[in-house]
Amino acid sequence: MRIGKEKGVPISPELIGLFFEDINFAADGGLYAEMIENRSFEAREAYGNPGRFYAVDDPGYAWKSVQQSGEEAPFMQYVTGTPVSEANPHYLRFTAKAAGQGFANKAYDGIRLEKDHTYRVSFYARCVAYEGDTFQIKVIKDGQVFAEVAVNAVKPVPYVPFCDLKIPMEIGYGTLNPEIQHIREMDQSGKCRRSEWIKYEVVLAAQDDVRGAQFAITFDVPGIVEFDLISMIPEDAVAGIFRKDLFEALQAIKPGFVRFPGGCIVEGISLDNRYYWKNTVGDVKDRRYIPNLWAFDDDWSKNDPMTKRPDAHYGQSFGLGFYEYFLLCELLDAKPLPVLNIGTACQFRSTEMVDSDNPKFEEYVQDALDLIEFANGPVDSTWGALRARMGHPESFHMDFLSVGNEQWETQYLDMKHRYERFAQAIHAKYPEIRLLGTAGPFMECSITEDAWKFYREKAKENPDFSYAVDEHYYVSPQWLYDHVAMYDEYPRNVAVFAGEYAAHTEDRANSMESALAEAALLTGIEKNADVVKLASYAPLFNRIGHSQWKPDMIWFDNLNSVRTVSYYVQQLYAQNKGTNVLPLTMNKKSVTGAEGQNGLFASAVYDKDKNELIVKVANTSNTAQSISLNFAGLKKQDVLSNGRCIKLRSLDLDKDNTLEQPFAITPQETAVSVEGHVFTTEQEPNTFAVYKFTKK
């Protein structure tokens, strides 16, 4: 392979990023470190499929009573009336009939504790009729206590009518009885309040390791107490929000951007179910819980309205909301790339939409303007002030915004007109925002071609009309091999955002076969960095036993997380993307063509910041290949230091995607020697390698 001397097109610093969608329990039960399931008693059970879906309130999901055998059972009621927040109206009214009784949460596949680690517990409670001194906060399994702490029960001042009024004796009420007089003396203001919600906060320390345990609150004596918003988060959670090992896996990629929050959940199975960003910011207690779109079955062929998925209670608490997504981007040093709804439910599942000539459509456009103000606005603006109150007065420096997700033009949905309305309003006020359009859910079809024609024609009139267009393709490994060079022929006036892609084998398993095809595709993306500005594999996370979609980059349970070989392909590209493309040929032909070169696909870049020459080679064949890298562009006096090779080598993978036998393929790094300006090696079959050399 000959690496030319001409430094080619610059590579976008954001080229390789992450796509986050709350699918496969990626947020609640995943990256969001909350351990309590259904913490606000708002769970619903999802039924049906597109066109005939519904949800049934099930506020007691994941909770059960705790009692000794033979005792009169405690009483658990899930009530409404005076909740902590009107956004989440249900709360638990618990009646203990004996000392030691309480209630427990099954959590996400059970509570997992690590010995000597600490966990922050908080909840709201209101003593209705409770004379005990404390509540006992515990983690228990099979009768054994693995963590326990007592918290003092706060007895609020009871409500007494008229106690602050001067009532004439002739009305007939007589004198205040001694109890009321005592209350008046207690309350310096002279006003007696009804029982209020009290927020409790305490730290639990684990006495030993345990998995599959339950979180419990028990009473000292019989009584009645109401509870709401019960939370347990590990104290090692990053920023008190993100599960540590999952955050570190994202951090290790060094992504250029994070696209959030989806994905189909942006639109929802209905507009009421859409991801409405304004409901996901502010105090956590005021964020309205909704069922997750992925709790509903998406199979149109089923005619049974009672059909449901195994995870029919999958919900969104929005503890991981837009503020937290912006914070995540900041912690990862990645650009935020939010996606906004354009007034339509998911086109795969529904025909529901707000007509673009309806005044309500303007609310969606205003939501976009308000989001920019929330992310970037000064602290004396409405939404910038909210950001500041949440703890971040500084701007999040957002300059990407995606208008819609997988929408396409139909006789019902005027996708193009909607995009224009958003673009006009946003660029009139915020011309610096780089807008991204949508080209629908597939490649090589009329709706995609129609979308591209629209954006390219508009770009001739206004180059800033759309920075990039979002393409999605979940395809076979062979399709990727056949299309490695597809971006060679794309017009350059509108950029590409490869926003969702992955190679899907017949069994849709994470495999070296898929990862090699993805690595080959990325050689073509890297070579065409002048038109492909952003790329992200999808989906990102999958919780073992709670899968709605596969393959995925990172698999996890409540103990471990596993980085797949597809993860490492993304990581190696993100960490070695360079600053400029270098010309690369083999036998005077491209090494990113449709057929590769004897199964080889390769790209070369130069990193001016590190003064490195980097060559990536995917050997997709079943035979070893002789690799000769000729750095013909170097001057005679230039010297290459001995380099490094980072390689992913094929192994037999566990087919069941379990963590007892985790994926075994990880990058292996070795030193390599260079003679003059030529490096020669033999690359094993079915491998992906990154060769790095420093120019002195």
Side-chain angles (χ1 to χ4, degrees):
M1 297 181 191
R2 185 180 188 276
I3 295 94
K5 64 180 179 179
E6 304 86 3
K7 292 185 180 67
V9 296
I11 298 169
S12 165
E14 300 97 8
L15 179 61
I16 305 298
L18 301 173
F19 163 60
F20 186 97
E21 179 170 13
D22 189 1
I23 184 174
N24 307 322
F25 282 60
D28 290 319
L31 182 61
Y32 183 43
E34 176 63 71
M35 303 173 77
I36 304 300
E37 191 169 5
N38 188 25
R39 65 183 182 183
S40 293
F41 309 102
E42 297 298 334
R44 296 172 203 164
E45 191 169 26
Y47 286 89
N49 52 354
R52 54 194 306 169
F53 65 88
Y54 59 99
V56 177
D57 286 349
D58 192 5
Y61 170 73
W63 297 95
K64 69 174 185 178
S65 62
V66 173
Q67 66 191 88
Q68 297 294 323
S69 60
E71 290 181 343
E72 182 181 358
F75 195 30
M76 298 180 73
Q77 294 173 293
Y78 303 97
V79 300
T80 61
T82 54
V84 168
S85 173
E86 294 296 335
N88 296 299
H90 290 93
Y91 51 97
L92 169 64
R93 184 179 174 94
F94 185 84
T95 302
K97 300 296 182 66
Q101 291 185 345
F103 56 96
N105 186 265
K106 75 179 184 66
Y108 298 95
D109 304 315
I111 293 285
R112 172 245 179 167
L113 299 182
E114 290 184 86
K115 184 178 181 180
D116 298 328
H117 283 222
T118 53
Y119 304 81
R120 178 167 40 87
V121 173
S122 67
F123 59 93
Y124 288 85
R126 186 163 56 193
C127 294
V128 177
Y130 184 61
E131 298 303 321
D133 293 326
T134 64
F135 305 117
Q136 304 298 318
I137 315 301
K138 306 176 182 180
V139 173
I140 55 177
K141 182 178 181 180
D142 300 331
Q144 182 178 349
V145 176
F146 289 85
E148 183 175 20
V149 66
V151 55
N152 292 329
V154 177
K155 312 294 175 54
V157 177
Y159 170 68
V160 179
F162 313 126
C163 71
D164 61 341
L165 300 178
K166 295 179 180 179
I167 305 171
M169 294 300 174
E170 58 268 21
I171 291 180
Y173 287 97
T175 60
L176 293 176
N177 66 41
E179 180 183 354
I180 294 177
Q181 184 64 41
H182 172 64
I183 292 171
R184 291 190 65 177
E185 292 170 356
M186 287 173 55
D187 191 342
Q188 297 294 323
S189 68
K191 296 180 180 179
C192 301
R193 298 175 293 108
R194 64 178 175 81
S195 297
E196 301 290 343
W197 288 102
I198 304 298
K199 186 175 183 179
Y200 295 81
E201 295 181 282
V202 68
V203 173
L204 271 177
Q207 301 165 14
D208 205 346
D209 293 342
V210 67
R211 294 183 71 183
Q214 295 182 333
F215 170 89
I217 297 178
T218 61
F219 289 13
D220 293 344
V221 298
I224 304 172
V225 182
E226 294 169 341
F227 293 88
D228 205 352
L229 191 59
I230 301 172
S231 172
M232 178 176 175
I233 294 178
E235 287 207 305
D236 67 358
V238 177
I241 300 166
F242 308 108
R243 178 172 148 173
K244 187 171 183 287
D245 62 326
L246 299 184
F247 173 86
E248 289 173 346
L250 303 184
Q251 188 178 47
I253 290 177
K254 298 184 178 178
F257 68 90
V258 180
R259 175 182 172 225
F260 62 88
C264 291
I265 65 166
V266 169
E267 303 124 353
I269 198 166
S270 68
L271 284 176
D272 185 62
N273 182 243
R274 76 188 191 278
Y275 201 107
Y276 182 38
W277 76 265
K278 290 178 178 177
N279 283 348
T280 77
V281 295
D283 195 310
V284 168
K285 68 180 175 58
D286 297 320
R287 303 182 189 182
R288 174 178 169 248
Y289 175 99
I290 62 172
N292 192 301
L293 166 136
W294 295 103
F296 296 90
D297 201 311
D298 59 354
D299 187 347
W300 279 93
S301 67
K302 295 180 180 178
N303 294 317
D304 180 5
M306 294 296 290
T307 184
K308 64 178 183 177
R309 278 183 159 154
D311 283 308
H313 290 92
Y314 187 7
Q316 293 179 275
S317 71
F318 297 116
L320 189 58
F322 259 56
Y323 176 83
E324 289 76 20
Y325 284 124
F326 282 123
L327 191 62
L328 174 65
C329 294
E330 185 173 82
L331 292 169
L332 294 175
D333 194 24
K335 285 276 190 180
L337 199 166
V339 185
L340 289 185
N341 189 296
I342 62 170
T344 175
C346 178
Q347 277 183 272
F348 282 108
R349 297 168 169 85
S350 173
T351 58
E352 184 185 1
M353 67 185 72
V354 174
D355 291 338
S356 60
D357 58 0
N358 187 320
K360 285 187 174 296
F361 177 74
E362 292 302 323
E363 296 177 14
Y364 289 81
V365 177
Q366 187 62 47
D367 285 343
L369 298 173
D370 291 343
L371 176 62
I372 299 168
E373 184 176 283
F374 177 76
N376 300 344
V379 295
D380 59 355
S381 64
T382 300
W383 292 99
L386 176 59
R387 184 192 70 242
R389 290 197 299 273
M390 294 183 72
H392 202 284
E394 303 83 7
S395 167
F396 281 116
H397 305 291
M398 181 187 85
D399 63 355
F400 285 125
L401 188 61
S402 190
V403 178
N405 168 74
E406 286 189 344
Q407 272 72 61
W408 62 94
E409 189 83 4
T410 71
Q411 60 180 318
Y412 307 108
L413 182 65
D414 50 347
M415 181 273 290
K416 300 172 188 175
H417 176 65
R418 290 167 189 254
Y419 181 90
E420 288 188 271
R421 293 272 291 278
F422 272 83
Q424 289 166 1
I426 292 169
H427 281 157
K429 190 172 184 179
Y430 301 106
E432 72 279 8
I433 296 296
R434 293 181 281 181
L435 295 179
L436 294 93
T438 171
F442 308 114
M443 297 283 280
E444 297 183 323
C445 63
S446 60
I447 60 176
T448 304
E449 294 168 1
D450 179 60
W452 268 112
K453 182 179 179 182
F454 163 69
Y455 292 112
R456 287 172 179 148
E457 287 297 320
K458 288 293 181 180
K460 293 176 182 178
E461 306 167 11
N462 175 13
D464 296 324
F465 181 72
S466 181
Y467 173 74
V469 175
D470 188 5
E471 294 187 335
H472 296 177
Y473 38 102
Y474 298 102
V475 292
S476 70
Q478 188 59 51
W479 191 96
L480 290 186
Y481 291 139
D482 293 341
H483 291 78
V484 165
M486 64 181 170
Y487 294 119
D488 291 2
E489 306 303 323
Y490 269 48
R492 265 44 186 171
N493 65 333
V494 181
V496 174
F497 173 24
E500 296 183 33
Y501 70 88
H504 285 188
T505 58
E506 188 173 338
D507 59 359
R508 292 180 64 168
N510 284 101
S511 67
M512 192 68 187
E513 179 184 2
S514 292
L516 277 174
E518 291 150 10
L521 171 74
L522 285 167
T523 64
I525 284 177
E526 197 166 71
K527 173 189 172 186
N528 288 284
D530 58 330
V531 68
V532 185
K533 300 295 186 180
L534 305 157
S536 50
Y537 176 100
L540 181 56
F541 286 120
N542 196 321
R543 185 177 181 112
I544 301 298
H546 301 278
S547 174
Q548 293 90 43
W549 186 285
K550 61 179 184 177
D552 307 275
M553 273 177 62
I554 301 167
W555 291 70
F556 66 94
D557 59 13
N558 62 6
L559 178 63
N560 299 304
S561 57
V562 172
R563 307 174 187 187
T564 68
V565 64
S566 290
Y567 167 96
Y568 288 117
V569 166
Q570 298 294 315
Q571 182 189 55
L572 289 175
Y573 269 93
Q575 293 186 2
N576 300 284
K577 61 180 175 293
T579 56
N580 292 85
V581 175
L582 291 175
L584 176 66
T585 56
M586 182 176 178
N587 302 321
K588 298 183 179 181
K589 296 180 181 179
S590 170
V591 201
T592 56
E595 300 300 327
Q597 295 264 359
N598 298 322
L600 293 178
F601 297 85
S603 59
V605 300
Y606 173 63
D607 190 326
K608 66 181 180 182
D609 299 322
K610 299 177 182 177
N611 207 20
E612 284 184 337
L613 299 169
I614 305 169
V615 181
K616 304 178 184 75
V617 182
N619 180 6
T620 68
S621 71
N622 293 320
T623 60
Q625 300 267 17
S626 177
I627 307 295
S628 179
L629 303 179
N630 181 358
F631 297 95
L634 293 178
K635 299 177 182 178
K636 289 184 178 180
Q637 63 270 28
D638 288 336
V639 176
L640 290 180
S641 68
N642 286 340
R644 291 175 293 151
C645 172
I646 309 169
K647 189 175 294 182
L648 291 169
R649 180 182 290 107
S650 181
L651 296 171
D652 291 332
L653 294 182
D654 162 51
K655 298 296 185 183
D656 296 327
N657 288 333
T658 60
L659 294 181
E660 285 70 33
Q661 296 178 312
F663 296 136
I665 299 178
T666 58
Q668 305 298 314
E669 185 168 343
T670 57
V672 294
S673 299
V674 184
E675 295 184 8
H677 291 175
V678 177
F679 168 72
T680 302
T681 189
E682 186 172 85
Q683 187 165 322
E684 299 94 326
N686 300 312
T687 54
F688 172 61
V690 178
Y691 301 98
K692 303 175 64 172
F693 307 92
T694 302
K695 187 173 71 171
K696 293 185 177 180

